[in-house]
Amino acid sequence: MRVLFLVWSSYPSDRIYADPSVFYRCFHPAEALRRRGMHTSVMHFSTVDPEELSDYDRIIFFRPQFSDKFLELHSTARQLGLPCVASYDDLFFDIEMLRQSNFRGLAVNQHKILASRPYNYAQAMYFFDRFISSTDPLADRIRAALGAAEVHVQYNAVSDEMLYLARMCTETIDREPLRLGYFAGGASHAPDLMAIAPYIAPALAEAGAEFFCVETVEVPDVIAKACKVTTTRRMSYAEMIRAYATCCVTIAPLHMNPFTISKSGIKYLEASLVGAATVATPIPDIMRIADDRLIPVETEEGWYDGVRQALAMPHGEAITRHQQERIRERFSTSVEAERLVKFLETVGS
C-alpha cells in the first residue's frame, strides 16, 4: 500500500516536520507504516502536483482547508479512484467550539485566525465521508456534524526513536530533584498557566522547587516571585526530551470546555518517557492513558495539593524503565500503525 499524507500547515513547506501536529499525526504514522513495508510520503499540499497523486493508493488529507488548490487535489484523487480520508487533531471545524478556545483572548491577529478557522476547515470537511481523529471525543464531534461519517480514532503515540532517545537521556542526564516543568505547545496556553499560577506558586515556594518553562508562554509574576525560574527557547523534539529528563514533575493545565475535551493527552506520554510524574487537567484522552504517576486536578484550587503531592512522589531508574516499557507495549506508533492499516484496507475495499 502506498499512502500520501497531504498536510495543511502554517509552517513553511520545507519545515512542516517542526509543526508538532504534523510530527505526531503524519510523520509518526508514516514512519510506522514504512516499517511495515509500505511506501509513505508526507508533503505540504502547496508543493504537490495533482499528477503525483497517481503514485499512491490512499490519500490522507491532514487538517484540509477549502481553497482552489484543495478542490484541484481532491477532484483529481476522486477521478483517479483514490480513497480519501480527512484527518483532524483539533476541533477547528466547529465555530461555537472555537469560541471556547483561548485564541479569542490572545493579542494575535484575529482576522488571520477567523479567515482560516473554522470556515475553511468546515467547508473542506464536507467533501469527506471517512475521517481519522486523534481522540474519542473529537470522533464524537465529527459524527455529530456528519451523522453517516466513518471515523477511525488514531491516538497520538510514541515512536521507537523517541523511546530510544528517552532511554539515552535518562541514562546520561541527572534529574533535578525539585524541578517542575511546563512544556506548553504554544502561546494559546498562556491563560491556562495564568489560571493556576496563584495555586502552584505557594506549593513551589514551600518545597523549594524550581519552575522550568519553555518560552512559548510568559511566566506569571506570582510564580517568578515565589521560586527559582528557568526558561528556555523553543526546542527541537530531541532537545525537548532531554529537557523533560531533567524534570521530576510536569504540569498539563487546560481550561476544561468542549474544545479542550477533544484534545490529546500526549503531554503525559512525553513526561512518562522519562519517568516524570504529571499533574494535569483530566481531559478524557489523558485519563485514557493515566496510571498512578498522573495526578488529575479538577479545580483551580486543587493545583496546590496536586503539585505538592507530585513533588513528593518517588523517582528512580526502576520507575522510569517501567514507564518506558508500558509505553512501548500499549502506546507506541507500532500499536497504532496496526490499527491504521486495518482501517485503510477497509477504506479501499
Side-chain angles (χ1 to χ4, degrees):
M1 188 185 301
R2 298 165 299 172
V3 182
L4 171 62
F5 292 80
L6 273 180
V7 172
W8 274 254
S9 172
S10 59
Y11 281 63
S13 59
D14 60 346
R15 293 190 63 248
I16 54 174
Y17 187 85
D19 184 332
S21 289
V22 178
F23 178 70
Y24 277 112
R25 304 303 300 164
C26 299
F27 281 102
H28 267 192
E31 177 59 27
L33 293 176
R34 199 173 296 128
R35 289 177 183 273
R36 299 175 67 91
M38 299 182 185
H39 173 78
T40 62
S41 299
V42 181
M43 302 173 68
H44 194 281
F45 80 97
S46 65
T47 67
V48 177
D49 188 311
E51 294 182 359
E52 296 179 74
L53 299 185
S54 61
D55 294 334
Y56 300 91
D57 304 309
R58 307 286 189 278
I59 312 294
I60 296 176
F61 290 68
F62 178 64
R63 286 187 171 186
Q65 296 187 47
F66 185 81
S67 66
D68 289 341
K69 181 70 172 184
F70 164 80
L71 284 175
E72 183 181 23
L73 291 169
H74 187 271
S75 175
T76 300
R78 291 197 61 179
Q79 291 171 12
L80 293 170
L82 298 175
C84 297
V85 180
S87 176
Y88 296 99
D89 65 340
D90 243 328
L91 199 55
F92 286 143
F93 51 80
D94 189 310
I95 296 174
E96 179 56 32
M97 294 303 102
L98 190 68
R99 285 172 58 86
Q100 299 184 41
S101 74
N102 286 332
F103 289 110
R104 196 165 57 149
L106 296 175
V108 295
N109 188 334
Q110 297 293 310
H111 174 76
K112 180 179 179 181
I113 289 175
L114 293 176
S116 63
R117 303 170 177 157
Y119 305 106
N120 293 347
Y121 287 115
Q123 290 181 80
M125 179 185 182
Y126 283 88
F127 282 80
F128 298 90
D129 299 312
R130 299 182 179 95
F131 299 85
I132 294 173
S133 162
S134 56
T135 68
D136 294 302
L138 183 56
D140 291 340
R141 295 301 307 183
I142 294 173
R143 295 186 186 102
L146 299 169
E150 180 182 356
V151 187
H152 170 73
V153 182
Q154 174 198 322
Y155 300 112
N156 279 336
V158 172
S159 67
D160 292 343
E161 290 78 10
M162 289 183 73
L163 268 169
Y164 174 78
L165 178 60
R167 292 192 184 104
M168 293 291 292
C169 289
T170 52
E171 290 173 2
T172 59
I173 295 175
D174 293 330
R175 191 189 307 273
E176 298 293 335
L178 290 172
R179 172 177 278 187
L180 181 146
Y182 181 44
F183 296 84
S188 64
H189 291 288
D192 298 320
L193 178 60
M194 187 67 69
I196 67 167
Y199 305 101
I200 69 172
L204 291 167
E206 291 168 13
E210 172 191 1
F211 184 74
F212 180 87
C213 184
V214 180
E215 291 175 350
T216 50
V217 296
E218 291 187 13
V219 178
D221 288 342
V222 66
I223 294 178
K225 294 175 181 178
C227 64
K228 176 184 177 181
V229 172
T230 301
T231 60
T232 181
R233 58 174 176 77
R234 279 183 177 269
M235 298 176 287
S236 68
Y237 299 108
E239 291 171 330
M240 181 187 70
I241 296 301
R242 286 196 288 269
Y244 265 108
T246 69
C247 300
C248 65
V249 175
T250 69
I251 57 172
L254 285 171
H255 177 62
M256 187 77 90
N257 58 47
F259 184 85
T260 55
I261 281 175
S262 296
K263 284 187 169 293
S264 164
I266 188 63
K267 287 300 176 185
Y268 182 53
L269 288 183
E270 291 174 348
S272 292
L273 276 173
V274 297
T278 298
V279 188
T281 303
I283 58 173
D285 196 61
I286 210 167
M287 297 309 295
R288 175 184 63 85
I289 59 179
D291 62 1
D292 59 3
R293 301 288 290 173
L294 183 131
I295 300 173
V297 176
E298 296 186 359
T299 65
E300 291 177 352
E301 295 81 359
W303 280 88
Y304 170 77
D305 288 332
V307 167
R308 288 186 64 199
Q309 180 182 345
L311 288 170
M313 292 179 74
H315 300 274
E317 184 179 344
I319 291 174
T320 301
R321 284 202 307 267
H322 172 77
Q323 293 296 83
Q324 291 171 347
E325 185 61 20
R326 177 176 179 264
I327 289 173
R328 187 189 66 79
E329 291 180 354
R330 298 179 54 189
F331 307 113
S332 70
T333 53
S334 298
V335 173
E336 288 303 311
E338 185 174 349
R339 298 175 57 248
L340 179 59
V341 168
K342 292 178 180 178
F343 171 70
L344 292 176
E345 288 175 345
T346 301
V347 165
S349 62

